[in-house]
Amino acid sequence: MNLFSENCCPTCNSENVHFHTRYFTKSGEQRTIYHCQDCYDYFSETKNTPLAGLRIPVSKMIEVIDALNDGMGINAAVRTFKVAKNTIYTWLERLADLKEVLLLYALCHQFLSQLVEGDELYTKVKENKAPDQSAGWTIVLMERASRFIWEMKCGQRNRSLFQAAIQTLRQVIEHSQDLTLVTDGERRYGNLLFEICRQALRTGQVGRPRQTLPKGVKVRLKNKGSQAKGPKRPKYQAPQPEHPDTAQDLADQDIHANHLEGFNAGMRRKLACYRRRTNTYAKQEETLQTRLDVHWVLHNFVRPHFTTRLVPGVALGILEKGLSMFELFKVRYA
């Protein structure tokens, strides 16, 4: 799968294309028109990319998006860069649409071993509601060694939200030989993963086969806080049965989500919709998810992480080098 296919016809996917002409946008940028020799279609190098049909200079778009992902709010960006609010929303939506393409690109690779941390982040949406009714809960699944984020999903803290995140993790499991999921006390990660991925362990003995997690998959949780009723739970626990051939090589001191909790703390500095300054943090759930998708793209493929000094996609082995913002705007949706 090639991320940059500007010389490939978007209609028939043919690489038999020839240069036709060049044109200049209103901002003075030069772009190329190609001619497909198979379907005889003419197309611009920006077709099916976030830049399609936009006349504003790419440099200005990059400045605005960088500012938004460094803590500036939407209204502040409007006043500072003299750009309409709906224009900024359009840029964010186009960039957020790249998440599906880049996630598919990441899942084209095979991984030997992954240690994934799961945790939740909370903000308020639209109005001040009780936490169990707010749509501002955000589930984050992050690979510990590379800091690559597999999922960032917001919504009410219910079964459907956890299930959507686990469905992404299920795709990661299909491309990993050894995957470990660790959480801080939240049991729904392991329970839903077991419900979606469980397999029958057939030993040839009489009786119903035992249900376990797939080979190479293990779940660990660290129970935090006090328990009011019932028998006391162990501090470190495997909530679901695992395959007997799965390697048990995870020490108790490694069962935590400290790296992800640090990331969540940083999110309150980087995204204004998570900052505790007003009673209403985010206006709409859809807009909040768009901001999260843009942050997902920039975090995984553009910005080096301050601990590893590498772009997470490079540290995970997906890319040879991180993408620049100019390259990101040239990625095609299909």
Side-chain angles (χ1 to χ4, degrees), residues 266-313:
M267 284 278 286
R268 298 197 179 278
R269 300 188 301 270
K270 296 177 181 178
L271 292 183
C273 46
Y274 283 93
R275 195 170 303 151
R276 291 189 174 125
R277 286 186 175 177
T278 61
N279 286 333
T280 302
Y281 305 157
K283 301 300 181 184
Q284 297 179 359
E285 181 182 347
E286 294 78 9
T287 306
L288 177 60
Q289 186 61 56
T290 299
R291 296 293 303 275
L292 290 173
D293 290 344
V294 172
H295 189 77
W296 184 94
V297 171
L298 298 182
H299 174 91
N300 285 335
F301 294 91
V302 177
R303 295 185 170 183
H305 197 273
F306 74 97
T307 56
T308 62
R309 308 297 181 186
L310 295 173
V311 175

mmCIF file of all heavy atoms in Angstrom, residues 266-313:
data_model
loop_
_atom_site.group_PDB
_atom_site.id
_atom_site.type_symbol
_atom_site.label_atom_id
_atom_site.label_comp_id
_atom_site.label_asym_id
_atom_site.label_seq_id
_atom_site.Cartn_x
_atom_site.Cartn_y
_atom_site.Cartn_z
ATOM 1 N N GLY A 266 -0.997 15.221 29.264
ATOM 2 C CA GLY A 266 -0.528 16.120 28.214
ATOM 3 C C GLY A 266 -1.640 16.566 27.280
ATOM 4 O O GLY A 266 -1.577 17.655 26.692
ATOM 5 N N MET A 267 -2.678 15.720 27.130
ATOM 6 C CA MET A 267 -3.799 16.086 26.267
ATOM 7 C C MET A 267 -4.500 17.340 26.761
ATOM 8 O O MET A 267 -5.044 18.122 25.973
ATOM 9 C CB MET A 267 -4.796 14.922 26.211
ATOM 10 C CG MET A 267 -4.369 13.768 25.345
ATOM 11 S SD MET A 267 -4.717 14.066 23.611
ATOM 12 C CE MET A 267 -6.499 13.852 23.617
ATOM 13 N N ARG A 268 -4.504 17.567 28.047
ATOM 14 C CA ARG A 268 -5.166 18.763 28.593
ATOM 15 C C ARG A 268 -4.376 20.032 28.271
ATOM 16 O O ARG A 268 -4.927 21.131 28.342
ATOM 17 C CB ARG A 268 -5.340 18.612 30.103
ATOM 18 C CG ARG A 268 -6.219 17.434 30.484
ATOM 19 C CD ARG A 268 -6.717 17.530 31.909
ATOM 20 N NE ARG A 268 -7.575 16.396 32.231
ATOM 21 C CZ ARG A 268 -8.859 16.301 31.927
ATOM 22 N NH1 ARG A 268 -9.444 17.293 31.284
ATOM 23 N NH2 ARG A 268 -9.560 15.244 32.255
ATOM 24 N N ARG A 269 -3.133 19.883 27.910
ATOM 25 C CA ARG A 269 -2.347 21.032 27.469
ATOM 26 C C ARG A 269 -2.411 21.213 25.961
ATOM 27 O O ARG A 269 -2.278 22.327 25.467
ATOM 28 C CB ARG A 269 -0.885 20.888 27.897
ATOM 29 C CG ARG A 269 -0.667 20.787 29.388
ATOM 30 C CD ARG A 269 0.813 20.851 29.742
ATOM 31 N NE ARG A 269 1.574 19.782 29.111
ATOM 32 C CZ ARG A 269 1.784 18.584 29.658
ATOM 33 N NH1 ARG A 269 1.269 18.308 30.843
ATOM 34 N NH2 ARG A 269 2.491 17.675 29.031
ATOM 35 N N LYS A 270 -2.596 20.125 25.225
ATOM 36 C CA LYS A 270 -2.517 20.181 23.769
ATOM 37 C C LYS A 270 -3.858 20.447 23.097
ATOM 38 O O LYS A 270 -3.893 20.999 21.989
ATOM 39 C CB LYS A 270 -1.936 18.863 23.239
ATOM 40 C CG LYS A 270 -0.502 18.614 23.677
ATOM 41 C CD LYS A 270 0.002 17.267 23.184
ATOM 42 C CE LYS A 270 1.425 17.005 23.641
ATOM 43 N NZ LYS A 270 1.914 15.682 23.210
ATOM 44 N N LEU A 271 -4.961 20.018 23.703
ATOM 45 C CA LEU A 271 -6.280 20.228 23.121
ATOM 46 C C LEU A 271 -7.119 21.071 24.076
ATOM 47 O O LEU A 271 -7.370 20.658 25.213
ATOM 48 C CB LEU A 271 -6.977 18.891 22.840
ATOM 49 C CG LEU A 271 -6.366 18.024 21.739
ATOM 50 C CD1 LEU A 271 -7.205 16.779 21.521
ATOM 51 C CD2 LEU A 271 -6.242 18.802 20.438
ATOM 52 N N ALA A 272 -7.571 22.226 23.587
ATOM 53 C CA ALA A 272 -8.310 23.145 24.451
ATOM 54 C C ALA A 272 -9.640 22.564 24.901
ATOM 55 O O ALA A 272 -10.166 22.958 25.944
ATOM 56 C CB ALA A 272 -8.546 24.465 23.707
ATOM 57 N N CYS A 273 -10.206 21.612 24.145
ATOM 58 C CA CYS A 273 -11.498 21.041 24.523
ATOM 59 C C CYS A 273 -11.387 20.129 25.743
ATOM 60 O O CYS A 273 -12.415 19.728 26.301
ATOM 61 C CB CYS A 273 -12.098 20.271 23.355
ATOM 62 S SG CYS A 273 -10.963 19.168 22.497
ATOM 63 N N TYR A 274 -10.177 19.814 26.189
ATOM 64 C CA TYR A 274 -9.991 19.020 27.402
ATOM 65 C C TYR A 274 -9.471 19.881 28.563
ATOM 66 O O TYR A 274 -9.183 19.347 29.615
ATOM 67 C CB TYR A 274 -8.998 17.883 27.156
ATOM 68 C CG TYR A 274 -9.605 16.740 26.391
ATOM 69 C CD1 TYR A 274 -9.502 16.680 25.014
ATOM 70 C CD2 TYR A 274 -10.299 15.732 27.046
ATOM 71 C CE1 TYR A 274 -10.071 15.643 24.309
ATOM 72 C CE2 TYR A 274 -10.870 14.684 26.344
ATOM 73 C CZ TYR A 274 -10.752 14.650 24.972
ATOM 74 O OH TYR A 274 -11.326 13.629 24.274
ATOM 75 N N ARG A 275 -9.370 21.186 28.358
ATOM 76 C CA ARG A 275 -8.790 22.020 29.386
ATOM 77 C C ARG A 275 -9.853 22.472 30.375
ATOM 78 O O ARG A 275 -10.948 22.859 29.986
ATOM 79 C CB ARG A 275 -8.114 23.238 28.728
ATOM 80 C CG ARG A 275 -7.186 23.980 29.657
ATOM 81 C CD ARG A 275 -6.384 24.989 28.872
ATOM 82 N NE ARG A 275 -5.641 24.339 27.804
ATOM 83 C CZ ARG A 275 -5.324 24.934 26.668
ATOM 84 N NH1 ARG A 275 -5.711 26.159 26.446
ATOM 85 N NH2 ARG A 275 -4.638 24.296 25.753
ATOM 86 N N ARG A 276 -9.542 22.440 31.628
ATOM 87 C CA ARG A 276 -10.513 22.792 32.657
ATOM 88 C C ARG A 276 -10.534 24.302 32.884
ATOM 89 O O ARG A 276 -10.010 24.817 33.862
ATOM 90 C CB ARG A 276 -10.172 22.062 33.958
ATOM 91 C CG ARG A 276 -10.400 20.566 33.872
ATOM 92 C CD ARG A 276 -10.259 19.940 35.235
ATOM 93 N NE ARG A 276 -10.621 18.525 35.191
ATOM 94 C CZ ARG A 276 -9.839 17.545 35.586
ATOM 95 N NH1 ARG A 276 -8.646 17.810 36.052
ATOM 96 N NH2 ARG A 276 -10.245 16.294 35.535
ATOM 97 N N ARG A 277 -11.147 25.021 31.978
ATOM 98 C CA ARG A 277 -11.244 26.476 32.130
ATOM 99 C C ARG A 277 -12.701 26.934 32.220
ATOM 100 O O ARG A 277 -12.991 27.968 32.778
ATOM 101 C CB ARG A 277 -10.567 27.182 30.959
ATOM 102 C CG ARG A 277 -9.043 27.125 31.035
ATOM 103 C CD ARG A 277 -8.430 27.947 29.934
ATOM 104 N NE ARG A 277 -6.969 28.001 30.051
ATOM 105 C CZ ARG A 277 -6.180 28.600 29.192
ATOM 106 N NH1 ARG A 277 -6.691 29.193 28.143
ATOM 107 N NH2 ARG A 277 -4.877 28.616 29.374
ATOM 108 N N THR A 278 -13.610 26.209 31.603
ATOM 109 C CA THR A 278 -15.022 26.561 31.624
ATOM 110 C C THR A 278 -15.826 25.329 31.946
ATOM 111 O O THR A 278 -15.330 24.206 31.917
ATOM 112 C CB THR A 278 -15.477 27.126 30.264
ATOM 113 O OG1 THR A 278 -15.271 26.115 29.261
ATOM 114 C CG2 THR A 278 -14.691 28.363 29.885
ATOM 115 N N ASN A 279 -17.111 25.519 32.228
ATOM 116 C CA ASN A 279 -17.971 24.374 32.499
ATOM 117 C C ASN A 279 -18.201 23.535 31.246
ATOM 118 O O ASN A 279 -18.405 22.337 31.318
ATOM 119 C CB ASN A 279 -19.325 24.844 33.056
ATOM 120 C CG ASN A 279 -19.194 25.315 34.491
ATOM 121 O OD1 ASN A 279 -18.305 24.868 35.212
ATOM 122 N ND2 ASN A 279 -20.054 26.240 34.892
ATOM 123 N N THR A 280 -18.215 24.174 30.075
ATOM 124 C CA THR A 280 -18.423 23.458 28.819
ATOM 125 C C THR A 280 -17.086 23.341 28.100
ATOM 126 O O THR A 280 -16.526 24.337 27.665
ATOM 127 C CB THR A 280 -19.432 24.201 27.931
ATOM 128 O OG1 THR A 280 -20.653 24.347 28.645
ATOM 129 C CG2 THR A 280 -19.694 23.425 26.660
ATOM 130 N N TYR A 281 -16.574 22.135 27.972
ATOM 131 C CA TYR A 281 -15.262 21.935 27.368
ATOM 132 C C TYR A 281 -15.362 21.732 25.858
ATOM 133 O O TYR A 281 -14.596 22.266 25.097
ATOM 134 C CB TYR A 281 -14.560 20.724 27.980
ATOM 135 C CG TYR A 281 -14.435 20.765 29.492
ATOM 136 C CD1 TYR A 281 -14.267 19.607 30.216
ATOM 137 C CD2 TYR A 281 -14.490 21.959 30.181
ATOM 138 C CE1 TYR A 281 -14.148 19.640 31.594
ATOM 139 C CE2 TYR A 281 -14.369 22.001 31.543
ATOM 140 C CZ TYR A 281 -14.204 20.842 32.254
ATOM 141 O OH TYR A 281 -14.101 20.861 33.620
ATOM 142 N N ALA A 282 -16.296 20.920 25.395
ATOM 143 C CA ALA A 282 -16.470 20.649 23.971
ATOM 144 C C ALA A 282 -17.925 20.916 23.600
ATOM 145 O O ALA A 282 -18.831 20.667 24.397
ATOM 146 C CB ALA A 282 -16.098 19.192 23.642
ATOM 147 N N LYS A 283 -18.149 21.424 22.397
ATOM 148 C CA LYS A 283 -19.501 21.809 21.996
ATOM 149 C C LYS A 283 -20.317 20.630 21.484
ATOM 150 O O LYS A 283 -21.500 20.506 21.784
ATOM 151 C CB LYS A 283 -19.439 22.893 20.919
ATOM 152 C CG LYS A 283 -18.705 24.150 21.358
ATOM 153 C CD LYS A 283 -19.369 24.791 22.562
ATOM 154 C CE LYS A 283 -18.640 26.058 22.978
ATOM 155 N NZ LYS A 283 -19.209 26.656 24.193
ATOM 156 N N GLN A 284 -19.707 19.772 20.686
ATOM 157 C CA GLN A 284 -20.418 18.640 20.094
ATOM 158 C C GLN A 284 -19.533 17.408 20.116
ATOM 159 O O GLN A 284 -18.305 17.511 20.017
ATOM 160 C CB GLN A 284 -20.845 18.941 18.651
ATOM 161 C CG GLN A 284 -21.827 20.087 18.501
ATOM 162 C CD GLN A 284 -22.188 20.332 17.052
ATOM 163 O OE1 GLN A 284 -21.684 19.651 16.150
ATOM 164 N NE2 GLN A 284 -23.044 21.301 16.817
ATOM 165 N N GLU A 285 -20.167 16.250 20.211
ATOM 166 C CA GLU A 285 -19.406 15.004 20.229
ATOM 167 C C GLU A 285 -18.703 14.767 18.897
ATOM 168 O O GLU A 285 -17.560 14.295 18.862
ATOM 169 C CB GLU A 285 -20.344 13.835 20.545
ATOM 170 C CG GLU A 285 -19.653 12.493 20.605
ATOM 171 C CD GLU A 285 -20.619 11.358 20.867
ATOM 172 O OE1 GLU A 285 -21.780 11.637 21.242
ATOM 173 O OE2 GLU A 285 -20.212 10.188 20.698
ATOM 174 N N GLU A 286 -19.374 15.090 17.768
ATOM 175 C CA GLU A 286 -18.772 14.871 16.458
ATOM 176 C C GLU A 286 -17.526 15.743 16.269
ATOM 177 O O GLU A 286 -16.509 15.296 15.734
ATOM 178 C CB GLU A 286 -19.785 15.169 15.352
ATOM 179 C CG GLU A 286 -20.979 14.233 15.302
ATOM 180 C CD GLU A 286 -22.022 14.560 16.356
ATOM 181 O OE1 GLU A 286 -21.889 15.631 17.013
ATOM 182 O OE2 GLU A 286 -22.961 13.771 16.537
ATOM 183 N N THR A 287 -17.614 17.005 16.730
ATOM 184 C CA THR A 287 -16.455 17.897 16.616
ATOM 185 C C THR A 287 -15.313 17.424 17.505
ATOM 186 O O THR A 287 -14.138 17.486 17.123
ATOM 187 C CB THR A 287 -16.851 19.326 16.993
ATOM 188 O OG1 THR A 287 -17.981 19.726 16.211
ATOM 189 C CG2 THR A 287 -15.707 20.283 16.754
ATOM 190 N N LEU A 288 -15.649 16.927 18.689
ATOM 191 C CA LEU A 288 -14.621 16.398 19.587
ATOM 192 C C LEU A 288 -13.911 15.207 18.960
ATOM 193 O O LEU A 288 -12.680 15.099 19.028
ATOM 194 C CB LEU A 288 -15.254 15.998 20.917
ATOM 195 C CG LEU A 288 -14.317 15.360 21.951
ATOM 196 C CD1 LEU A 288 -13.188 16.311 22.323
ATOM 197 C CD2 LEU A 288 -15.099 14.943 23.194
ATOM 198 N N GLN A 289 -14.673 14.316 18.313
ATOM 199 C CA GLN A 289 -14.054 13.157 17.663
ATOM 200 C C GLN A 289 -13.165 13.586 16.503
ATOM 201 O O GLN A 289 -12.109 12.991 16.255
ATOM 202 C CB GLN A 289 -15.139 12.191 17.182
ATOM 203 C CG GLN A 289 -14.597 10.883 16.612
ATOM 204 C CD GLN A 289 -13.802 10.090 17.627
ATOM 205 O OE1 GLN A 289 -14.292 9.769 18.697
ATOM 206 N NE2 GLN A 289 -12.559 9.775 17.299
ATOM 207 N N THR A 290 -13.572 14.632 15.783
ATOM 208 C CA THR A 290 -12.734 15.155 14.697
ATOM 209 C C THR A 290 -11.403 15.660 15.231
ATOM 210 O O THR A 290 -10.342 15.375 14.662
ATOM 211 C CB THR A 290 -13.470 16.285 13.959
ATOM 212 O OG1 THR A 290 -14.676 15.785 13.381
ATOM 213 C CG2 THR A 290 -12.597 16.861 12.853
ATOM 214 N N ARG A 291 -11.439 16.404 16.343
ATOM 215 C CA ARG A 291 -10.194 16.890 16.946
ATOM 216 C C ARG A 291 -9.316 15.728 17.393
ATOM 217 O O ARG A 291 -8.090 15.766 17.268
ATOM 218 C CB ARG A 291 -10.518 17.802 18.142
ATOM 219 C CG ARG A 291 -11.253 19.076 17.791
ATOM 220 C CD ARG A 291 -10.395 20.024 16.978
ATOM 221 N NE ARG A 291 -9.159 20.370 17.648
ATOM 222 C CZ ARG A 291 -9.049 21.343 18.545
ATOM 223 N NH1 ARG A 291 -10.097 22.059 18.871
ATOM 224 N NH2 ARG A 291 -7.881 21.609 19.101
ATOM 225 N N LEU A 292 -9.939 14.674 17.922
ATOM 226 C CA LEU A 292 -9.170 13.506 18.354
ATOM 227 C C LEU A 292 -8.535 12.796 17.168
ATOM 228 O O LEU A 292 -7.392 12.332 17.251
ATOM 229 C CB LEU A 292 -10.078 12.546 19.114
ATOM 230 C CG LEU A 292 -10.559 12.999 20.499
ATOM 231 C CD1 LEU A 292 -11.581 12.014 21.052
ATOM 232 C CD2 LEU A 292 -9.397 13.142 21.461
ATOM 233 N N ASP A 293 -9.256 12.698 16.055
ATOM 234 C CA ASP A 293 -8.713 12.038 14.864
ATOM 235 C C ASP A 293 -7.524 12.812 14.304
ATOM 236 O O ASP A 293 -6.526 12.221 13.877
ATOM 237 C CB ASP A 293 -9.808 11.890 13.802
ATOM 238 C CG ASP A 293 -10.869 10.882 14.197
ATOM 239 O OD1 ASP A 293 -10.612 10.086 15.120
ATOM 240 O OD2 ASP A 293 -11.962 10.890 13.592
ATOM 241 N N VAL A 294 -7.633 14.141 14.296
ATOM 242 C CA VAL A 294 -6.503 14.955 13.823
ATOM 243 C C VAL A 294 -5.301 14.770 14.742
ATOM 244 O O VAL A 294 -4.165 14.618 14.287
ATOM 245 C CB VAL A 294 -6.920 16.435 13.743
ATOM 246 C CG1 VAL A 294 -5.708 17.317 13.432
ATOM 247 C CG2 VAL A 294 -7.989 16.639 12.679
ATOM 248 N N HIS A 295 -5.552 14.764 16.049
ATOM 249 C CA HIS A 295 -4.455 14.556 16.996
ATOM 250 C C HIS A 295 -3.849 13.166 16.809
ATOM 251 O O HIS A 295 -2.624 13.000 16.925
ATOM 252 C CB HIS A 295 -4.979 14.713 18.420
ATOM 253 C CG HIS A 295 -3.897 14.732 19.456
ATOM 254 N ND1 HIS A 295 -3.095 15.839 19.686
ATOM 255 C CD2 HIS A 295 -3.461 13.772 20.316
ATOM 256 C CE1 HIS A 295 -2.221 15.564 20.630
ATOM 257 N NE2 HIS A 295 -2.416 14.325 21.035
ATOM 258 N N TRP A 296 -4.660 12.171 16.520
ATOM 259 C CA TRP A 296 -4.182 10.807 16.263
ATOM 260 C C TRP A 296 -3.229 10.792 15.071
ATOM 261 O O TRP A 296 -2.160 10.162 15.117
ATOM 262 C CB TRP A 296 -5.377 9.894 16.004
ATOM 263 C CG TRP A 296 -5.065 8.452 15.811
ATOM 264 C CD1 TRP A 296 -5.070 7.470 16.754
ATOM 265 C CD2 TRP A 296 -4.719 7.798 14.561
ATOM 266 N NE1 TRP A 296 -4.751 6.263 16.191
ATOM 267 C CE2 TRP A 296 -4.529 6.429 14.854
ATOM 268 C CE3 TRP A 296 -4.562 8.246 13.265
ATOM 269 C CZ2 TRP A 296 -4.184 5.508 13.882
ATOM 270 C CZ3 TRP A 296 -4.201 7.326 12.281
ATOM 271 C CH2 TRP A 296 -4.016 5.979 12.600
ATOM 272 N N VAL A 297 -3.602 11.476 14.000
ATOM 273 C CA VAL A 297 -2.777 11.512 12.789
ATOM 274 C C VAL A 297 -1.445 12.198 13.065
ATOM 275 O O VAL A 297 -0.374 11.676 12.722
ATOM 276 C CB VAL A 297 -3.538 12.233 11.654
ATOM 277 C CG1 VAL A 297 -2.610 12.464 10.465
ATOM 278 C CG2 VAL A 297 -4.747 11.417 11.214
ATOM 279 N N LEU A 298 -1.484 13.362 13.701
ATOM 280 C CA LEU A 298 -0.252 14.105 13.948
ATOM 281 C C LEU A 298 0.642 13.386 14.946
ATOM 282 O O LEU A 298 1.864 13.356 14.791
ATOM 283 C CB LEU A 298 -0.586 15.509 14.459
ATOM 284 C CG LEU A 298 -1.389 16.411 13.516
ATOM 285 C CD1 LEU A 298 -1.598 17.781 14.139
ATOM 286 C CD2 LEU A 298 -0.702 16.541 12.162
ATOM 287 N N HIS A 299 0.050 12.807 15.981
ATOM 288 C CA HIS A 299 0.843 12.116 17.002
ATOM 289 C C HIS A 299 1.560 10.905 16.417
ATOM 290 O O HIS A 299 2.746 10.683 16.706
ATOM 291 C CB HIS A 299 -0.067 11.683 18.150
ATOM 292 C CG HIS A 299 0.621 10.839 19.180
ATOM 293 N ND1 HIS A 299 1.244 11.372 20.290
ATOM 294 C CD2 HIS A 299 0.792 9.486 19.267
ATOM 295 C CE1 HIS A 299 1.770 10.385 21.010
ATOM 296 N NE2 HIS A 299 1.506 9.242 20.409
ATOM 297 N N ASN A 300 0.875 10.122 15.603
ATOM 298 C CA ASN A 300 1.430 8.851 15.135
ATOM 299 C C ASN A 300 2.358 8.985 13.940
ATOM 300 O O ASN A 300 3.271 8.161 13.785
ATOM 301 C CB ASN A 300 0.294 7.890 14.774
ATOM 302 C CG ASN A 300 -0.393 7.309 15.988
ATOM 303 O OD1 ASN A 300 0.189 7.225 17.067
ATOM 304 N ND2 ASN A 300 -1.645 6.921 15.822
ATOM 305 N N PHE A 301 2.162 10.004 13.091
ATOM 306 C CA PHE A 301 2.871 10.028 11.816
ATOM 307 C C PHE A 301 3.689 11.291 11.560
ATOM 308 O O PHE A 301 4.442 11.323 10.594
ATOM 309 C CB PHE A 301 1.873 9.841 10.662
ATOM 310 C CG PHE A 301 1.213 8.496 10.645
ATOM 311 C CD1 PHE A 301 0.013 8.283 11.317
ATOM 312 C CD2 PHE A 301 1.797 7.431 9.983
ATOM 313 C CE1 PHE A 301 -0.592 7.034 11.324
ATOM 314 C CE2 PHE A 301 1.199 6.188 9.972
ATOM 315 C CZ PHE A 301 -0.001 5.980 10.647
ATOM 316 N N VAL A 302 3.552 12.313 12.400
ATOM 317 C CA VAL A 302 4.237 13.574 12.110
ATOM 318 C C VAL A 302 5.193 13.972 13.226
ATOM 319 O O VAL A 302 6.374 14.239 12.971
ATOM 320 C CB VAL A 302 3.207 14.706 11.873
ATOM 321 C CG1 VAL A 302 3.924 16.033 11.641
ATOM 322 C CG2 VAL A 302 2.316 14.367 10.679
ATOM 323 N N ARG A 303 4.729 13.993 14.462
ATOM 324 C CA ARG A 303 5.502 14.589 15.549
ATOM 325 C C ARG A 303 6.330 13.548 16.301
ATOM 326 O O ARG A 303 5.780 12.524 16.728
ATOM 327 C CB ARG A 303 4.565 15.307 16.523
ATOM 328 C CG ARG A 303 3.854 16.494 15.903
ATOM 329 C CD ARG A 303 3.028 17.237 16.926
ATOM 330 N NE ARG A 303 2.539 18.501 16.393
ATOM 331 C CZ ARG A 303 1.833 19.371 17.094
ATOM 332 N NH1 ARG A 303 1.531 19.110 18.363
ATOM 333 N NH2 ARG A 303 1.424 20.501 16.548
ATOM 334 N N PRO A 304 7.615 13.795 16.504
ATOM 335 C CA PRO A 304 8.417 12.886 17.335
ATOM 336 C C PRO A 304 7.963 12.945 18.792
ATOM 337 O O PRO A 304 7.591 14.010 19.292
ATOM 338 C CB PRO A 304 9.846 13.427 17.184
ATOM 339 C CG PRO A 304 9.815 14.300 15.983
ATOM 340 C CD PRO A 304 8.436 14.861 15.904
ATOM 341 N N HIS A 305 7.991 11.793 19.463
ATOM 342 C CA HIS A 305 7.623 11.754 20.874
ATOM 343 C C HIS A 305 8.829 12.181 21.709
ATOM 344 O O HIS A 305 9.967 11.834 21.403
ATOM 345 C CB HIS A 305 7.181 10.350 21.273
ATOM 346 C CG HIS A 305 6.419 10.302 22.552
ATOM 347 N ND1 HIS A 305 7.040 10.183 23.771
ATOM 348 C CD2 HIS A 305 5.087 10.384 22.810
ATOM 349 C CE1 HIS A 305 6.126 10.163 24.726
ATOM 350 N NE2 HIS A 305 4.932 10.300 24.175
ATOM 351 N N PHE A 306 8.588 12.938 22.772
ATOM 352 C CA PHE A 306 9.695 13.525 23.520
ATOM 353 C C PHE A 306 10.491 12.477 24.295
ATOM 354 O O PHE A 306 11.632 12.744 24.688
ATOM 355 C CB PHE A 306 9.172 14.600 24.486
ATOM 356 C CG PHE A 306 8.471 14.053 25.700
ATOM 357 C CD1 PHE A 306 9.142 13.911 26.904
ATOM 358 C CD2 PHE A 306 7.142 13.689 25.641
ATOM 359 C CE1 PHE A 306 8.495 13.405 28.026
ATOM 360 C CE2 PHE A 306 6.489 13.191 26.751
ATOM 361 C CZ PHE A 306 7.160 13.047 27.947
ATOM 362 N N THR A 307 9.947 11.278 24.525
ATOM 363 C CA THR A 307 10.687 10.247 25.253
ATOM 364 C C THR A 307 11.526 9.373 24.327
ATOM 365 O O THR A 307 12.689 9.106 24.602
ATOM 366 C CB THR A 307 9.729 9.358 26.059
ATOM 367 O OG1 THR A 307 8.740 8.795 25.170
ATOM 368 C CG2 THR A 307 9.020 10.154 27.136
ATOM 369 N N THR A 308 10.952 8.928 23.221
ATOM 370 C CA THR A 308 11.675 8.058 22.300
ATOM 371 C C THR A 308 12.481 8.830 21.261
ATOM 372 O O THR A 308 13.342 8.243 20.602
ATOM 373 C CB THR A 308 10.690 7.134 21.566
ATOM 374 O OG1 THR A 308 9.776 7.936 20.786
ATOM 375 C CG2 THR A 308 9.887 6.296 22.560
ATOM 376 N N ARG A 309 12.197 10.137 21.097
ATOM 377 C CA ARG A 309 12.842 10.984 20.090
ATOM 378 C C ARG A 309 12.527 10.523 18.673
ATOM 379 O O ARG A 309 13.205 10.894 17.713
ATOM 380 C CB ARG A 309 14.371 11.031 20.271
ATOM 381 C CG ARG A 309 14.814 11.395 21.666
ATOM 382 C CD ARG A 309 14.380 12.782 22.065
ATOM 383 N NE ARG A 309 14.849 13.123 23.404
ATOM 384 C CZ ARG A 309 14.521 14.238 24.044
ATOM 385 N NH1 ARG A 309 13.698 15.096 23.478
ATOM 386 N NH2 ARG A 309 14.988 14.481 25.250
ATOM 387 N N LEU A 310 11.509 9.687 18.524
ATOM 388 C CA LEU A 310 11.109 9.179 17.217
ATOM 389 C C LEU A 310 9.619 9.408 17.020
ATOM 390 O O LEU A 310 8.851 9.451 17.985
ATOM 391 C CB LEU A 310 11.406 7.675 17.093
ATOM 392 C CG LEU A 310 12.859 7.231 17.129
ATOM 393 C CD1 LEU A 310 12.932 5.704 17.162
ATOM 394 C CD2 LEU A 310 13.622 7.755 15.916
ATOM 395 N N VAL A 311 9.222 9.535 15.773
ATOM 396 C CA VAL A 311 7.797 9.523 15.453
ATOM 397 C C VAL A 311 7.267 8.132 15.798
ATOM 398 O O VAL A 311 7.888 7.122 15.445
ATOM 399 C CB VAL A 311 7.574 9.844 13.962
ATOM 400 C CG1 VAL A 311 6.105 9.722 13.591
ATOM 401 C CG2 VAL A 311 8.094 11.240 13.641
ATOM 402 N N PRO A 312 6.134 8.022 16.515
ATOM 403 C CA PRO A 312 5.647 6.691 16.913
ATOM 404 C C PRO A 312 5.502 5.699 15.763
ATOM 405 O O PRO A 312 5.775 4.511 15.936
ATOM 406 C CB PRO A 312 4.289 7.014 17.549
ATOM 407 C CG PRO A 312 4.471 8.380 18.118
ATOM 408 C CD PRO A 312 5.357 9.098 17.139
ATOM 409 N N GLY A 313 5.083 6.165 14.590
ATOM 410 C CA GLY A 313 4.984 5.265 13.447
ATOM 411 C C GLY A 313 6.325 4.714 13.023
ATOM 412 O O GLY A 313 6.431 3.573 12.562
#
